[in-house]
Coordinates of all heavy atoms in Angstrom, one line a residue:
L1571 N -38.5 -78.5 14.6 CA -38.5 -78.4 13.1 C -39.0 -79.8 12.5 O -39.7 -79.8 11.5 CB -37.1 -78.1 12.6 CG -36.6 -76.7 12.8 CD1 -35.2 -76.5 12.4 CD2 -37.5 -75.7 12.1
F1572 N -38.6 -80.9 13.1 CA -39.0 -82.2 12.6 C -40.5 -82.3 12.6 O -41.1 -82.7 11.6 CB -38.4 -83.3 13.5 CG -38.6 -84.7 13.1 CD1 -38.4 -85.1 11.9 CD2 -39.2 -85.6 14.1 CE1 -38.6 -86.5 11.5 CE2 -39.4 -86.9 13.7 CZ -39.2 -87.3 12.4
R1573 N -41.1 -81.9 13.7 CA -42.6 -82.0 13.8 C -43.3 -81.0 12.9 O -44.3 -81.2 12.3 CB -43.0 -81.9 15.3 CG -42.5 -83.0 16.2 CD -43.6 -83.8 16.7 NE -43.0 -84.9 17.5 CZ -43.6 -86.0 18.0 NH1 -44.9 -86.1 17.8 NH2 -43.0 -87.0 18.6
L1574 N -42.7 -79.7 12.9 CA -43.3 -78.7 12.1 C -43.4 -79.0 10.6 O -44.3 -78.7 9.9 CB -42.6 -77.4 12.3 CG -43.1 -76.4 13.4 CD1 -42.2 -75.2 13.4 CD2 -44.5 -76.1 13.3
S1575 N -42.3 -79.7 10.2 CA -42.2 -80.0 8.7 C -42.7 -81.4 8.4 O -42.7 -81.8 7.2 CB -40.8 -79.8 8.3 OG -39.9 -80.7 8.9
C1576 N -43.2 -82.1 9.4 CA -43.7 -83.4 9.2 C -44.9 -83.4 8.2 O -45.7 -82.5 8.3 CB -44.2 -84.0 10.5 SG -45.3 -85.4 10.4
Y1577 N -45.0 -84.3 7.3 CA -46.1 -84.3 6.3 C -47.4 -84.3 7.0 O -48.3 -83.6 6.5 CB -45.9 -85.5 5.4 CG -44.8 -85.5 4.5 CD1 -43.7 -84.6 4.7 CD2 -44.7 -86.4 3.4 CE1 -42.6 -84.7 3.8 CE2 -43.6 -86.4 2.5 CZ -42.5 -85.5 2.8 OH -41.5 -85.5 1.9
Y1578 N -47.6 -85.1 8.1 CA -48.9 -85.1 8.7 C -49.2 -83.8 9.4 O -50.3 -83.2 9.2 CB -49.0 -86.3 9.7 CG -50.2 -86.0 10.6 CD1 -51.5 -86.1 10.0 CD2 -50.1 -85.6 11.9 CE1 -52.6 -85.7 10.7 CE2 -51.2 -85.3 12.6 CZ -52.4 -85.3 12.0 OH -53.6 -84.9 12.8
Y1579 N -48.2 -83.3 10.2 CA -48.5 -82.1 10.9 C -48.8 -80.9 10.0 O -49.6 -80.0 10.3 CB -47.4 -81.7 11.9 CG -47.4 -82.6 13.1 CD1 -46.3 -83.5 13.4 CD2 -48.4 -82.5 14.1 CE1 -46.3 -84.3 14.5 CE2 -48.4 -83.3 15.2 CZ -47.3 -84.2 15.4 OH -47.3 -85.0 16.6
R1580 N -48.1 -80.9 8.9 CA -48.3 -79.9 7.9 C -49.8 -79.9 7.5 O -50.5 -78.8 7.5 CB -47.5 -80.1 6.6 CG -46.1 -79.4 6.7 CD -45.0 -80.1 6.1 NE -44.9 -80.0 4.7 CZ -43.9 -80.5 4.0 NH1 -42.9 -81.1 4.6 NH2 -43.9 -80.4 2.7
H1617 N -37.4 -81.3 5.2 CA -37.8 -82.2 6.3 C -36.9 -83.4 6.4 O -36.6 -83.8 7.5 CB -39.2 -82.7 6.0 CG -39.7 -83.7 7.0 ND1 -39.9 -83.4 8.3 CD2 -40.0 -85.0 6.9 CE1 -40.3 -84.4 9.0 NE2 -40.4 -85.5 8.1
R1618 N -36.4 -83.9 5.3 CA -35.5 -85.1 5.4 C -34.3 -84.9 6.2 O -33.8 -85.8 6.9 CB -35.1 -85.6 4.0 CG -34.1 -84.7 3.3 CD -33.9 -85.1 1.9 NE -35.1 -84.6 1.1 CZ -35.2 -84.6 -0.2 NH1 -34.3 -85.1 -0.9 NH2 -36.3 -84.1 -0.8
T1620 N -34.1 -82.9 8.9 CA -34.5 -83.0 10.3 C -34.7 -84.4 10.8 O -34.6 -84.7 11.9 CB -35.8 -82.1 10.5 OG1 -36.9 -82.7 9.9 CG2 -35.6 -80.7 10.0
F1621 N -35.1 -85.3 9.8 CA -35.2 -86.7 10.2 C -33.9 -87.3 10.7 O -33.9 -88.0 11.7 CB -35.7 -87.5 9.0 CG -35.5 -89.0 9.2 CD1 -36.4 -89.7 10.0 CD2 -34.4 -89.7 8.6 CE1 -36.2 -91.1 10.3 CE2 -34.2 -91.0 8.9 CZ -35.1 -91.7 9.7
A1624 N -33.6 -86.1 14.2 CA -34.6 -86.8 15.1 C -34.1 -88.2 15.4 O -34.3 -88.7 16.5 CB -36.0 -86.8 14.4
Y1664 N -42.8 -93.6 15.7 CA -43.1 -92.3 15.0 C -42.0 -91.9 14.1 O -42.2 -91.6 12.9 CB -43.5 -91.2 16.0 CG -43.6 -89.9 15.3 CD1 -44.6 -89.6 14.4 CD2 -42.6 -88.9 15.5 CE1 -44.7 -88.4 13.8 CE2 -42.7 -87.6 14.9 CZ -43.8 -87.4 14.1 OH -43.8 -86.2 13.4
T1665 N -40.8 -91.9 14.6 CA -39.6 -91.5 13.8 C -39.4 -92.4 12.6 O -39.2 -91.9 11.5 CB -38.3 -91.5 14.7 OG1 -38.6 -90.8 15.9 CG2 -37.2 -90.9 14.0
L1666 N -39.5 -93.7 12.8 CA -39.2 -94.6 11.7 C -40.4 -94.6 10.7 O -40.2 -95.0 9.5 CB -39.0 -96.0 12.2 CG -37.7 -96.2 13.0 CD1 -37.6 -97.6 13.5 CD2 -36.4 -95.8 12.2
S1667 N -41.5 -94.2 11.1 CA -42.7 -94.1 10.2 C -42.7 -92.9 9.3 O -43.6 -92.7 8.5 CB -44.0 -94.2 11.0 OG -44.2 -92.9 11.6
C1668 N -41.7 -92.0 9.5 CA -41.5 -90.8 8.7 C -41.5 -91.1 7.2 O -40.8 -92.1 6.8 CB -40.3 -90.1 9.2 SG -39.8 -88.7 8.1
H1669 N -42.1 -90.3 6.4 CA -42.1 -90.5 5.0 C -40.7 -90.4 4.4 O -40.3 -91.2 3.5 CB -43.0 -89.5 4.3 CG -44.4 -89.7 4.5 ND1 -44.9 -89.5 5.8 CD2 -45.5 -90.0 3.8 CE1 -46.2 -89.7 5.8 NE2 -46.6 -90.0 4.5
S1670 N -39.8 -89.6 5.0 CA -38.5 -89.4 4.5 C -37.7 -90.7 4.8 O -36.9 -91.2 4.0 CB -37.8 -88.2 5.2 OG -38.4 -87.0 4.8
C1671 N -37.9 -91.3 6.0 CA -37.2 -92.5 6.4 C -37.6 -93.6 5.4 O -36.7 -94.4 4.9 CB -37.7 -92.9 7.8 SG -37.1 -94.5 8.3
R1672 N -38.9 -93.7 5.0 CA -39.3 -94.7 4.1 C -38.6 -94.5 2.7 O -38.2 -95.5 2.1 CB -40.9 -94.6 3.9 CG -41.5 -95.6 3.1 CD -43.0 -95.6 3.2 NE -43.6 -96.6 2.3 CZ -44.1 -96.2 1.1 NH1 -44.1 -95.0 0.7 NH2 -44.7 -97.2 0.4
N1699 N -45.6 -96.5 8.5 CA -45.9 -95.3 7.8 C -47.4 -95.1 7.6 O -48.0 -94.0 7.7 CB -45.2 -95.2 6.4 CG -45.5 -94.0 5.7 OD1 -46.3 -94.0 4.8 ND2 -44.9 -92.9 6.0
H1702 N -48.9 -93.2 10.5 CA -48.1 -92.1 10.9 C -48.9 -91.0 11.6 O -48.4 -90.5 12.6 CB -47.5 -91.4 9.6 CG -46.4 -90.5 9.9 ND1 -45.3 -90.8 10.7 CD2 -46.2 -89.1 9.6 CE1 -44.5 -89.7 10.8 NE2 -45.1 -88.7 10.2
M1703 N -50.1 -90.8 11.2 CA -50.9 -89.8 11.9 C -51.2 -90.2 13.3 O -51.1 -89.4 14.3 CB -52.3 -89.6 11.2 CG -53.2 -88.6 11.9 SD -54.8 -88.5 11.1 CE -55.6 -89.9 11.8
A1706 N -48.2 -89.8 15.4 CA -47.9 -88.4 15.7 C -48.7 -88.0 16.9 O -48.1 -87.3 17.8 CB -48.3 -87.5 14.5
Ligands
FES2950 S1 -43.3 -87.2 7.6 FE1 -43.9 -87.0 9.6 S2 -42.0 -87.1 10.6 FE2 -41.4 -87.3 8.6

Side-chain angles (χ1 to χ4, degrees):
L1571 287 175
F1572 181 53
R1573 298 243 173 189
L1574 268 182
S1575 61
C1576 162
Y1577 292 15
Y1578 164 67
Y1579 285 114
R1580 269 143 81 171
H1617 178 66
R1618 73 192 72 174
T1620 66
F1621 164 75
Y1664 169 68
T1665 307
L1666 296 177
S1667 71
C1668 169
H1669 292 66
S1670 295
C1671 173
R1672 186 166 175 262
N1699 181 259
H1702 194 56
M1703 178 185 82

